[in-house]
Amino acid sequence: MPIILLANVDVVELAYKEQMILETHRLLMRDFLETDWQAVFTYQSDPLYLRYNYWTQRTQKDVCEFIQMFIDQQKEQPRTKFQLAVVLKEENRLIGNCGIRVNDLEMREANIGYELNTQYWGQGYATEAAQEILKFGFEELRMHRIWSWCISENVASIKVLEKIGMRREGHLREKELIKGRWYDNFLYAILDHEWKAK
């Protein structure tokens, strides 16, 4: 786990010590390893996964670079990006990733994101992972505001964001151009006192 040093009430300074691990009832969320590329390649090659993505296909090189980016972020000082592999404990199987990125330390604002292997959609895993990353963001990183966004037609992702207590704050029209088609975005957020009230 990272050691968290509070420089003052407004700024959180993170010193990386060893592998980051979060745990829920069914999931283990940990830092990525180079050997994770095969599991990620498997689900990122699925056409259903690629539906709302800029990518049309994925190669081994693409996925290895994707994972290396997360590994490099683990070593940054201060560490402000925590994109974690989501592992199903029962099967010891990597089924996706979920993370939080600090956008502004002084304003204590961060954003979250997640993706799952399509074989594990609709079973509450994305909600479980997102809930845990929110908890980490508010309780450990001491964030004030955490936000996220999704394609307006991505009903499953909308449900996840609303289940973890986020409110829709904006509707950005034709914000994303994906495979030649414009999509609207929905912007969601939750504040620290709203999180505590839950």
Side-chain angles (χ1 to χ4, degrees), residues 79-93:
R79 184 172 180 182
T80 58
K81 296 180 178 74
F82 300 83
Q83 200 70 28
L84 306 177
V86 175
V87 178
L88 189 60
K89 288 198 288 192
E90 189 176 271
E91 301 176 19
N92 191 28
R93 181 187 302 272

Side-chain angles (χ1 to χ4, degrees), residues 47-97:
L48 190 55
Y49 162 85
L50 292 166
R51 180 178 177 189
Y52 296 123
N53 210 298
Y54 301 109
W55 305 317
T56 54
Q57 63 180 0
R58 301 292 276 157
T59 66
Q60 178 181 335
K61 181 175 181 288
D62 294 332
V63 174
C64 287
E65 288 174 353
F66 178 78
I67 291 172
Q68 189 60 50
M69 175 179 64
F70 298 146
I71 292 172
D72 291 343
Q73 290 170 357
Q74 296 167 18
K75 302 165 188 164
E76 292 176 357
Q77 294 293 337
R79 184 172 180 182
T80 58
K81 296 180 178 74
F82 300 83
Q83 200 70 28
L84 306 177
V86 175
V87 178
L88 189 60
K89 288 198 288 192
E90 189 176 271
E91 301 176 19
N92 191 28
R93 181 187 302 272
L94 191 156
I95 63 169
N97 71 76

Side-chain angles (χ1 to χ4, degrees), residues 25-192:
H25 177 63
R26 299 181 296 172
L27 304 172
L28 186 70
M29 298 164 65
R30 58 159 174 81
D31 276 329
F32 271 96
L33 307 169
E34 289 182 4
T35 52
D36 290 329
W37 75 267
Q38 288 178 305
V40 175
F41 180 71
T42 297
Y43 76 76
Q44 286 193 350
S45 299
D46 186 332
L48 190 55
Y49 162 85
L50 292 166
R51 180 178 177 189
Y52 296 123
N53 210 298
Y54 301 109
W55 305 317
T56 54
Q57 63 180 0
R58 301 292 276 157
T59 66
Q60 178 181 335
K61 181 175 181 288
D62 294 332
V63 174
C64 287
E65 288 174 353
F66 178 78
I67 291 172
Q68 189 60 50
M69 175 179 64
F70 298 146
I71 292 172
D72 291 343
Q73 290 170 357
Q74 296 167 18
K75 302 165 188 164
E76 292 176 357
Q77 294 293 337
R79 184 172 180 182
T80 58
K81 296 180 178 74
F82 300 83
Q83 200 70 28
L84 306 177
V86 175
V87 178
L88 189 60
K89 288 198 288 192
E90 189 176 271
E91 301 176 19
N92 191 28
R93 181 187 302 272
L94 191 156
I95 63 169
N97 71 76
C98 181
I100 184 166
R101 282 109 15 202
V102 178
N103 306 117
D104 191 319
L105 278 171
E106 186 175 354
M107 299 304 293
R108 292 161 47 207
E109 182 181 78
N111 73 84
I112 65 167
Y114 45 83
E115 64 180 28
L116 283 187
N117 183 320
T118 60
Q119 293 181 2
Y120 295 90
W121 286 5
Q123 300 176 53
Y125 294 124
T127 302
E128 193 170 325
Q131 189 80 274
E132 187 65 20
I133 212 73
L134 264 191
K135 179 181 177 184
F136 174 72
F138 285 125
E139 295 186 0
E140 302 297 331
L141 300 183
R142 308 267 183 104
M143 291 293 105
H144 171 66
R145 181 176 185 272
I146 298 177
W147 61 273
S148 191
W149 68 273
C150 66
I151 298 294
S152 62
E153 295 181 20
N154 192 343
V155 177
S157 194
I158 290 169
K159 286 180 179 176
V160 169
L161 296 173
E162 292 178 349
K163 281 180 183 176
I164 64 175
M166 287 191 162
R167 297 182 186 182
R168 188 182 303 173
E169 293 187 340
H171 181 167
L172 309 177
R173 296 176 302 150
E174 297 189 0
K175 179 72 169 60
E176 303 291 330
L177 180 61
I178 300 174
K179 301 180 181 78
R181 181 183 166 192
W182 289 103
Y183 288 90
D184 292 4
N185 275 359
F186 287 155
L187 178 66
Y188 281 81
I190 184 171
L191 305 176
D192 54 357

